[in-house]
Amino acid sequence: MSGNLTELQRARLRWRARRGLLENDLIITRYLDAYETQLTDEDVVALTQLFELGDNDLLDLLLARKELEGALDTPRLRSIIAQMREL
């Protein structure tokens, strides 16, 4: 699948994106509003990895207080984080 998520897949992605910190919710929601229709399966896998992070760790990444490390430091995730930071 290249950019055509089903309605159910979009709903599931948005549900997984819900965070305990409002700041994370706002940034992720803006990203999904802008890019949701273009997401690929690879993007969804990458986003799911991000959503498994703790709220404070995710916020630090989104606000550029920290950079991706280890298994999360992939070209796809670097691109997604950069897009989120631009919004």
Side-chain angles (χ1 to χ4, degrees):
M1 174 181 7
S2 59
N4 294 323
L5 296 179
T6 66
E7 192 65 34
L8 179 59
Q9 289 169 316
R10 282 196 293 275
R12 284 182 179 157
L13 186 61
R14 284 193 179 262
W15 177 255
R16 284 193 305 241
R18 295 184 61 185
R19 307 304 298 190
L21 289 176
L22 178 61
E23 294 87 346
N24 285 341
D25 271 345
L26 294 173
I27 293 168
I28 293 168
T29 298
R30 279 196 310 253
Y31 173 80
L32 291 175
D33 288 347
Y35 294 102
E36 182 176 60
T37 60
Q38 304 164 35
L39 295 177
T40 65
D41 285 343
E42 183 183 354
D43 295 329
V44 172
V45 169
L47 285 167
T48 300
Q49 288 179 291
L50 281 183
F51 298 160
E52 291 173 359
L53 292 172
D55 284 331
N56 291 324
D57 291 332
L58 180 56
L59 186 61
D60 285 344
L61 283 173
L62 297 178
L63 297 180
R65 292 181 195 149
K66 292 184 179 176
E67 295 300 324
L68 292 164
E69 297 178 343
L72 293 177
D73 189 11
T74 65
R76 187 69 232 133
L77 276 172
R78 283 194 299 272
S79 175
I80 289 171
I81 291 290
Q83 289 171 321
M84 287 183 177
R85 287 174 178 172
E86 290 173 3
L87 294 174

